[in-house]
Amino acid sequence: MSEPILVSDGFADGGSSTPISELDEPTLYRLAVLGSDEAVEEIARRANGD
Amino acid sequence: MDWDPARHPRWPADAPEHRGGQFADSPLANEYRAFQAAGQVWLRSLSRRAHPKGRWWPGRWSAVDPEVYHKEQLSHIRDSFLQNGIRPDLARQYTQEIAGTTTPPTVVLQNGPHRLVFQAPHGDYGGVAEMFDVLHQAAPISTPARLLFARDIPGQHHGTTLMPSATVMFDMGIFQPPSQADVETSMPSAARVPWWQYVMAHEWGHVVGGDHRLLDPPMPMMQGLSGYVYRTDWMDEAERRREAYAEAFAEWFFTDGHPSIEAVREAALAFRWEFPG
């Protein structure tokens, strides 16, 4: 299964499709609180040192 | 649906009264008050409209206590950490860190499995909910959707979709008028509907499109759409396909399934977009 990605549609700042593994922790935290299980799993992955 | 922009006032990212009052009598201030009033009136009507069952139903949105929502999310995160093999003490530590760096939303609406989360004190919540319902009727999504409207998130004046889930974040700038570049590099509908509605439809396209069907080899149809996809120079082929899909979906949606652009018509046939009878 491919890695979850963010599809950012803003072109003013360049925009891009970003692998979730490249997001910083504040963004992951916000996504996790919103209900993104992918963000929670990424935080857990980092915590486990994977 | 009537897409008259006057029916859904824009949502100014900065309330006029937060600017020292010099805009108190400006058209923007009046627009903001109308927008705020529409949202507050709609919120007060929710208790009479909430549907008793746990499934999505058009127009049946109910309000959730934002503090309760935030605590439920944190509890879910802690449980997920434990299920992912993190030691209990570390799971607690990470959860506390998340709790300390995030704030509860101001308004949370639910309709069956779907949530609309607002981190702004005022807004036309009813307009956003109505837009959700119309999109869901035109193109149902199978996973629980969470749509967040907030400041300081990725995608200034745009939306950001987390794929393959249906978590979508919207920058508050979408409630401002679009730039000329926004309109010129979007489908024709962007010039005649409120920008926030266009962005919602575009992101909905990402959600209903997912990632799977778009990994197929490029189709002539997609090539025909490429001229309507902004700044394709920085995109790889997969990104171009995703954006073309979302743009085509938005145009199809706002033309009630009768787009004038041939490539959009071909996309609707290929992906079996169809308004309910």
Side-chain angles (χ1 to χ4, degrees):
Chain A
M1 185 176 174
S2 59
E3 181 181 6
I5 59 169
L6 286 168
V7 180
S8 294
D9 298 323
F11 56 84
D13 56 357
S16 65
S17 294
T18 307
I20 201 164
S21 61
E22 295 180 10
L23 296 179
D24 59 22
E25 289 189 348
T27 301
L28 285 174
Y29 289 177
R30 298 193 74 183
L31 283 170
V33 166
L34 291 179
S36 164
D37 288 336
E38 294 92 339
V40 177
E41 289 169 5
E42 174 61 18
I43 297 168
R45 192 186 65 78
R46 294 182 188 183
N48 282 325
D50 296 340
Chain B
M1 179 178 221
D2 181 5
W3 294 110
D4 179 5
R7 189 160 177 267
H8 295 301
R10 289 185 297 274
W11 187 340
D14 295 305
E17 57 264 42
H18 294 165
R19 298 175 181 169
Q22 69 263 41
F23 296 99
D25 297 321
S26 70
L28 180 63
N30 291 330
E31 185 179 89
Y32 179 83
R33 290 190 193 99
F35 189 87
Q36 177 181 347
Q40 296 307 310
V41 168
W42 188 82
L43 270 182
R44 283 196 295 273
S45 74
L46 281 182
S47 61
R48 296 192 300 275
R49 300 166 63 184
H51 195 265
K53 296 180 180 177
R55 56 167 291 193
W56 169 81
W57 201 258
R60 300 295 185 176
W61 292 87
S62 57
V64 176
D65 185 327
E67 295 279 353
V68 171
Y69 176 84
H70 194 237
K71 288 177 181 174
E72 286 177 351
Q73 288 303 118
L74 291 170
S75 177
H76 172 69
I77 289 168
R78 187 194 60 221
D79 292 344
S80 297
F81 285 160
L82 294 173
Q83 290 167 6
N84 277 279
I86 295 182
R87 291 197 333 247
D89 58 326
L90 286 178
R92 189 166 55 250
Q93 177 186 325
Y94 282 116
T95 305
Q96 287 174 344
E97 187 175 334
I98 293 172
T101 56
T102 59
T103 56
T106 53
V107 173
V108 179
L109 305 173
Q110 73 174 36
N111 188 337
H114 308 301
R115 303 286 186 276
L116 302 177
V117 184
F118 299 85
Q119 287 187 320
H122 309 296
D124 184 4
Y125 314 110
V128 172
E130 182 183 11
M131 183 71 181
F132 183 103
D133 288 342
V134 176
L135 284 164
H136 201 0
Q137 287 174 298
I141 52 176
S142 57
T143 55
R146 289 170 194 262
L147 276 56
L148 170 76
F149 299 83
R151 304 169 196 260
D152 303 324
I153 56 177
Q156 191 174 25
H157 292 266
H158 293 79
T160 301
T161 297
L162 181 62
M163 297 167 66
S165 78
T167 301
V168 189
M169 299 181 292
F170 295 95
D171 177 71
M172 293 297 289
I174 67 171
F175 296 99
Q176 298 279 16
S179 69
Q180 190 66 23
D182 285 333
V183 174
E184 288 177 352
T185 53
S186 300
M187 287 282 176
S189 293
R192 63 181 183 82
V193 303
W195 182 242
W196 68 269
Q197 293 181 357
Y198 188 84
V199 175
M200 270 189 77
H202 174 103
E203 301 302 329
W204 198 274
H206 283 309
V207 173
V208 297
D211 224 4
H212 311 296
R213 287 172 289 185
L214 309 182
L215 296 176
D216 295 333
M219 291 171 280
M221 166 192 66
M222 284 301 184
Q223 293 168 353
L225 294 171
S226 63
Y228 296 94
V229 180
Y230 47 72
R231 292 280 295 273
T232 56
D233 53 321
W234 54 263
M235 296 179 182
D236 63 24
E237 185 58 31
E239 286 173 297
R240 271 193 289 274
R241 280 183 228 148
R242 281 194 291 268
E243 295 305 328
Y245 184 101
E247 285 291 293
F249 175 83
E251 181 68 8
W252 170 82
F253 176 77
F254 286 115
T255 55
D256 294 330
H258 302 289
S260 60
I261 299 171
E262 183 178 357
V264 176
R265 288 198 299 271
E266 291 176 358
L269 286 172
F271 296 117
R272 299 178 182 175
W273 299 333
E274 189 174 355
F275 276 90

